[in-house]
Structure formats: C-alpha cells, structure tokens
Amino acid sequence: MLRIAGNPKRLCDGLTRRDLLHIGAIGALSLGQWTRLRKLQAAVAPAEHRGGFGRAKSCILLFLFGSPSQHDTFDPKPEGPADFRGEFTAIPTKLPGVRFCETLPGFAGIADKLTVVRSMTSPHANHDVAYALTSNPLSEIPLQLNPRDPRHWPFIGSVVDYLGERAGRGGNDMPRNIALPYLLSSRRGHPSRDAGPYGHFLGANYDPVWTDFQGEGTEHYCYAPRTENVNRDPFAGVEPGFKLQLTAGEQRFDAHTTARLDDRRRLLEQLETARRSFDAGAAGSFDKRHQQAFDLLLSGKTRAALDLDREPTAMRDRYGMHLFGQASLAARRLIEAGGRFVTVFWDDFHHLQSAWDTHYNHFWKMRHLLCPGLDQTFVALVEDLESRGLLDETIVACISEHGRTPRITPTSKGPGRGHWADAYSAVFAGGGFARGKVVGATDSTGGRVAENPVSPKDILATIYHLLGIDPETTIPDRLGRPLAVGGEGRVRRELLG
C-alpha cells in the first residue's frame, strides 16, 4: 500500500488522517467518496492550528538560483582551514555571539529581525528548483528540465492560488500568484527550461502570472576583473528607463489601448473553430488564462503596482537600481495592493552566469556583484515592510536549491565552490517567523549538519502553516487522488515566533 509520511492524527474510529489519504491513493475517488473523505478530514482538529497558524496574510519568496555559499554568507568558519574558510572574514551581528560573513553587513545590522537556518539539508546537489519549491519527493535531472512532466507537483504559490480560488479569496484584479522579473530560465541563452514555478498537476491555470522587463543592463564585469569581458548585466544595474510589465505566455502587455484589446478579444473569438480540437481540459485552461489576462489589463491595479515610476527615486535607490532590487520593490508594491504570493527570482541572464552558481571566480563575484545586491535589497525590503506595518503579516523567505562545497576548488578562471546539499543556509523574516534566532548548526568545516537538520520540504510546510493552510490539506492529482499539500514536510515550530 502507498504510504505518505507524516505525523499521525487519529480519528475517533481509529483512522488517522494519513490513513484516509492512503485509502484515497489507491485510485481515483468518486465525487461522493471525495466529499465524505473531506468531511472526515475536516472533523480532525489538527495540531498545526496552534502556534502561528494563519499569522501571515502574504508571502514574498526570494529565490537565489544557483545556490549561494553558506560559508560566505550566514555560516562563516573563521577558524577553519584556509582552503575551506576562503578569503572573507566574519563580522559581528546584532545577536550576541553570532557572526555573518563580511559580505553581508546589512544582514548583520538587522539580525535581530531574522530567523537564520544554518542546518538546511537536501539529498540532491543539483539545480532542482522543483524539489526546493514543491512537495514532490522525486528529484532527477530529466524531471527538472521538463516543466510539463506529469510527475511534477505544483509550486507552493500555485497551491496558494488554487486553495484561495476555492475559498473565494480575491484573484481577479490582483493575482494571488505572481512571479518576477521574467519567466525562470527564459533568458539564459539556451532552450532548456527549469521546472518548479508552475501549476503542474493542478494545470496551467495555476501557473504564476509572470512579468518581463524592458530596459538595458549597465556595464559590469561579471567573469573577471575590469581588464576582461565587459558585459551589460541587469542584475548588476539597470538604466533609468527600466520597467516591469505583465506577460501572457510570450506576449508582452504594457501599453495597449482598450480598442486594441477589443480587437484582440474578437480575434480570439474567431479561433473558436480551431479550439474545438482541444480536449475539454485544454480548452478550459485557454479560456481562463486569456480571460485572466484581460481582467488584469483592464483593471489596471496590477499594472499600477508594477509601475515603479510612482515610487520616489530615493526609495528605488534604497532597494538598488538593479534587476533584483527593482523586482523586490515591485513585490512590496504588489503585496501592499493585495497580492498573496509573490516570487522574485535571481536567475542567470544570457551567457553571463550572473546568478549564484559560482564554480569559478567565486570570491570576486560574491564581493562585487552577488552579496552587495542581496544585502542591499533584502534589508531595504524588510525595513520598508516594517515601516509600513506590513512585516508582521508578510513572510519574507530567502532560499535556494542547495549550498556550495566547503572546500574551495582552484580553477583557471579563479577559485570556486561546487554544488553541495549536505548543509546550507536560508533566512526568513516577518509573517510569524521568530525574530533574532539562529536555528541549527554545522560542523567545523560547514560541510555537515551537526544539529537540527531542516529539509526544504519542512520550509514549505512551515510557510503553508503560517499562511493559514494546514500542510495536510489535500488537493487532487491528475487521477483525482488526494495528496497532502505539504507532502513529507512538517511544520518546524522552532522557526516560529
């Protein structure tokens, strides 16, 4: 029998909530069976409803693709061997006895507002965004590179969207699930696409609403010092005319008139005959996505939130005039306008490898590009939310796929760190996370968890919990079988305030 791991919650007749899921997983349920199952589940008073449940109204998820080094951010090892600790020093923080890497002075200054997890661990040291952002227990490279593989589970933002729709909570003039600054992996200069931020078995209806950006990057020297390879990298800086825009697939929506929208609507209506070849599910998805695009365009609320020209120049500068900073400022504006789940990706851009996959030239990139941008933006976001009275009800989560090797690898392009998943770090603020707390610890070289291991699935379950979603809430897979949204993850109460 298929078993789904988790904490048991026993009903009065001796069945646990997990037993009910085991029964449902045998095959597709009829509508009557499904209804009875949900009633039985609702009869249980889950323990997760205690301790911060529903504390957060919204979430801003910052995802650092490529994975930062734990040593050179939140878990420095100043007493470790030279070929492990690297060239950076450790600095004190607002928390007595806690040190961060010198690359993050801003984080050090707000450490009393943060929960830092130094004991993240995963069995998969590859760029599996889907494993990090969904409750799917599977991970393999072909799965990661195929966003439409039927084995995928839905992105956490897609689950929030799906359950919000069924609860009748918003979504017409402000999307519940929006992602910035552009479709993940679509600007890397190669055709492969990363899975993860999609509706997956819930269907394309629940993919995030994506933005794209218009504007040029500033000159930046990404690979090496200034004598080599001058590149225009938007994650290093953007020109003043930079704008974020809504998209629908590959189509960009930014300044269409109502008349032109009506023309497009009529054109879509003329495609009715062609659409009859769709199966019912595909046609339904087509209708909903296009209707949602028109609703968003004509309402103007989302476009107004994305209009960064409405922000004072000083505020834009505070977040950083680079792609990650401006997208994070837009995320705050979206949350303030009523958004529920907003994701900002720091992704590779064309051939620049401007994200966090630092196999070579690691220390130069960390010192001059990556850590300064992250440090400036994260601190600005947390302090801005707090000044507006939004931090206590908004989760800010900064995570990645894995970490990087404890031992430094020499290369012809400068020393680097490879993939490493046995131990890495993540950081959280607001929305019910504890203030001024460090959870877990690694060994003397930062390579193994020595205390309190935390899985990426636990992080998802904890975020669900804080958003008022019981991680054992079930959603139907492609066969109609009920699967718990939190999968194997469990709420980690030591992270909660």
Side-chain angles (χ1 to χ4, degrees), residues 260-473:
R260 189 173 179 187
L261 288 173
D262 288 341
D263 288 343
R264 287 178 176 240
R265 188 189 295 273
R266 284 192 291 272
L267 178 61
L268 288 172
E269 290 169 354
Q270 291 172 23
L271 297 176
E272 180 63 31
T273 300
R275 290 169 53 213
R276 289 173 185 165
S277 62
F278 283 29
D279 60 65
S285 174
F286 183 89
D287 286 339
K288 177 178 176 179
R289 295 303 286 180
H290 282 81
Q291 184 60 51
Q292 183 183 42
F294 281 113
D295 288 345
L296 291 174
L297 285 166
L298 295 174
S299 76
K301 189 175 181 181
T302 306
R303 286 186 296 126
L306 293 171
D307 185 359
L308 297 176
D309 288 337
R310 302 187 182 202
E311 285 289 330
T313 300
M315 182 61 75
R316 297 189 68 176
D317 289 342
R318 182 180 177 189
Y319 274 79
M321 282 302 297
H322 45 77
L323 191 54
F324 186 70
Q326 297 301 289
S328 297
L329 173 55
R332 186 270 287 166
R333 289 177 58 83
L334 288 161
I335 290 299
E336 196 171 32
R340 174 77 159 152
F341 201 99
V342 182
T343 308
V344 179
F345 289 94
W346 188 318
D347 193 13
D348 276 329
F349 187 77
H350 289 312
H351 63 288
L352 300 182
Q353 289 194 317
S354 52
W356 297 78
D357 196 20
T358 52
H359 289 276
Y360 54 85
N361 200 26
H362 169 86
F363 293 101
W364 192 92
K365 288 176 68 175
M366 293 290 280
R367 184 184 295 278
H368 295 288
L369 169 66
L370 300 171
C371 291
L374 174 63
D375 194 57
Q376 178 182 23
T377 298
F378 189 96
V379 173
L381 177 60
V382 169
E383 292 182 341
D384 193 12
L385 287 169
E386 186 166 53
S387 71
R388 295 168 187 272
L390 295 173
L391 184 60
D392 284 345
E393 61 187 41
T394 305
I395 296 166
V396 181
C398 186
I399 62 175
S400 60
E401 312 96 285
H402 49 71
R404 306 210 73 81
T405 51
R407 188 185 297 275
I408 299 162
T409 304
T411 80
S412 61
K413 294 182 179 180
R417 295 189 190 269
H419 296 182
W420 190 262
D422 288 3
Y424 59 105
S425 299
V427 61
F428 308 89
F433 278 96
R435 285 176 171 251
K437 190 169 187 179
V438 176
V439 174
T442 56
D443 63 13
S444 61
T445 66
R448 299 282 187 274
V449 172
E451 176 186 311
N452 203 9
V454 177
S455 83
K457 308 304 185 185
D458 295 340
I459 296 300
L460 298 181
T462 303
I463 293 174
Y464 280 131
H465 169 79
L466 289 173
L467 287 172
I469 299 171
D470 182 349
E472 293 194 14
T473 300

Side-chain angles (χ1 to χ4, degrees), residues 61 129 133-134 147-148 153-162 171 174-184 194-200 202-212 245-250 288-289 292-293 296 302 334 341-345:
L61 175 64
V129 179
L133 294 182
T134 81
R148 297 308 178 190
W153 288 37
F155 170 52
I156 180 173
S158 299
V159 173
V160 171
D161 186 10
Y162 174 88
M174 177 60 64
R176 284 175 292 264
N177 177 25
I178 187 168
L180 305 90
Y182 54 80
L183 178 66
L184 180 67
D194 281 292
Y198 295 92
H200 292 311
L202 290 177
N205 286 350
Y206 300 100
D207 288 352
V209 173
W210 289 91
T211 66
D212 202 347
Q245 305 156 317
L246 289 171
T247 64
E250 296 300 318
K288 177 178 176 179
R289 295 303 286 180
Q292 183 183 42
L296 291 174
T302 306
L334 288 161
F341 201 99
V342 182
T343 308
V344 179
F345 289 94

Side-chain angles (χ1 to χ4, degrees), residues 38-49:
R38 294 304 298 271
K39 287 181 178 179
L40 281 171
Q41 290 177 320
V44 182
E48 283 81 2
H49 284 206

